Amino acid sequence: MTIPPFVTLPVGDVILASASTTRAKLLRDAGVSFFQYPVIIDEEAARISSIADGIPVSEIAVILAEMKAAAAYQRLVIEQMVTPAYILGCDQILVCDENIFRKPEDIEEAKSQLFALSGKTHQLLTGIVLFQYGERIWHHLSVANMTMRHFNQDFIDGYLSRLGDAAFLSPASYQIESIGVHLFSEIKGCHYSIAGIPLLELMAILREHGLAPVESKSQNKV
């Protein structure tokens, strides 16, 4: 059963420029009226170019989020001849020992990442950008310190086997909303941000733009 939204903007739905089911669930569970419009950008090339230009890693997460929001805006205007009011772009970067970890492409890379992070504290950077009528009006960067416990080959093999294809959806095969909790010994950061969207900060800026509860039908009756 589809649950109706609790809050909406005066000008319509928020557009989430992401294919992430986790981000969509966060917004849906928060009762936000939105729809998904996934876009594809060359994230790897953008990261490499940014690093070559000496851009701090913390800024790269915001840059990638902005690129996604911009790509969604351009596609909607060109392909569907609409000018969306609000578009949300998000990106996450995992950094450990000054190295950026990408989404693993196969099981061997997933195993290698987990071994490299075992027993260490790394940073998860979550960048979010909000566009209004094609212009960036707000951004936020959340930083979480994530400490993984020590684990052996048997645990990694069992963990990745249980995850299946979900192991390739995030750097280090997190899946913290499910069995990924067994990877960590300590987490310092916002749960929402770690899952993909800093909801508290996002709701605050959207309320400034008129986000409010949807009026019930009973309130509209004369």
Side-chain angles (χ1 to χ4, degrees), residues 20-221:
S20 169
T21 56
T22 302
R23 290 191 179 108
K25 186 177 187 302
L26 285 172
L27 290 177
R28 191 177 301 112
D29 289 349
V32 178
S33 181
F34 79 101
F35 71 89
Q36 278 183 282
Y37 191 77
V39 293
I40 297 175
I41 64 171
D42 193 339
E43 296 184 40
E44 189 67 15
R47 288 192 190 100
I48 293 173
S49 175
S50 297
I51 292 171
D53 290 340
I55 296 174
V57 174
S58 59
E59 293 183 21
I60 297 176
V62 175
I63 289 171
L64 291 172
E66 181 171 1
M67 289 175 64
K68 293 174 183 178
Y73 176 80
Q74 291 167 3
R75 277 181 52 188
L76 283 165
V77 171
I78 294 172
E79 298 176 7
Q80 300 190 18
M81 301 297 290
V82 296
T83 303
Y86 293 96
I87 298 181
L88 189 64
C90 309
D91 192 77
Q92 288 183 302
I93 291 181
L94 189 161
V95 184
C96 184
D97 297 332
E98 299 184 357
N99 294 314
I100 294 176
F101 286 63
R102 64 180 185 180
K103 295 177 183 178
E105 296 183 353
D106 53 41
I107 286 293
E108 292 308 313
E109 185 174 9
K111 291 179 181 180
S112 176
Q113 288 186 355
L114 288 172
F115 268 123
L117 295 171
S118 176
K120 294 182 179 179
T121 297
H122 63 266
Q123 286 70 49
L124 182 67
L125 313 177
T126 302
I128 183 171
V129 169
L130 184 65
F131 270 36
Q132 182 184 41
Y133 297 114
E135 298 292 332
R136 188 177 97 173
I137 62 167
W138 175 83
H139 75 274
H140 178 78
L141 178 70
S142 176
V143 181
N145 290 300
M146 318 284 288
T147 302
M148 284 195 175
R149 65 184 185 83
H150 290 278
F151 29 72
N152 57 27
Q153 181 70 59
D154 288 341
F155 171 82
I156 291 176
D157 288 343
Y159 176 76
L160 293 175
S161 176
R162 177 66 177 270
L163 280 185
D165 290 342
F168 312 124
L169 297 178
S170 62
S173 306
Y174 263 21
Q175 297 303 302
I176 195 169
E177 66 277 8
S178 60
I179 64 170
V181 65
H182 296 286
L183 295 174
F184 299 95
S185 60
E186 185 177 23
I187 292 175
K188 294 181 179 179
C190 172
H191 167 77
Y192 297 125
S193 297
I194 294 167
I197 297 179
L199 276 181
L200 299 181
E201 292 81 3
L202 175 61
M203 294 304 105
I205 186 64
L206 290 180
R207 281 193 292 270
E208 292 182 15
H209 287 261
L211 186 76
V214 178
E215 290 185 357
S216 67
K217 291 182 179 181
S218 61
Q219 290 176 312
N220 294 328
K221 290 181 181 180

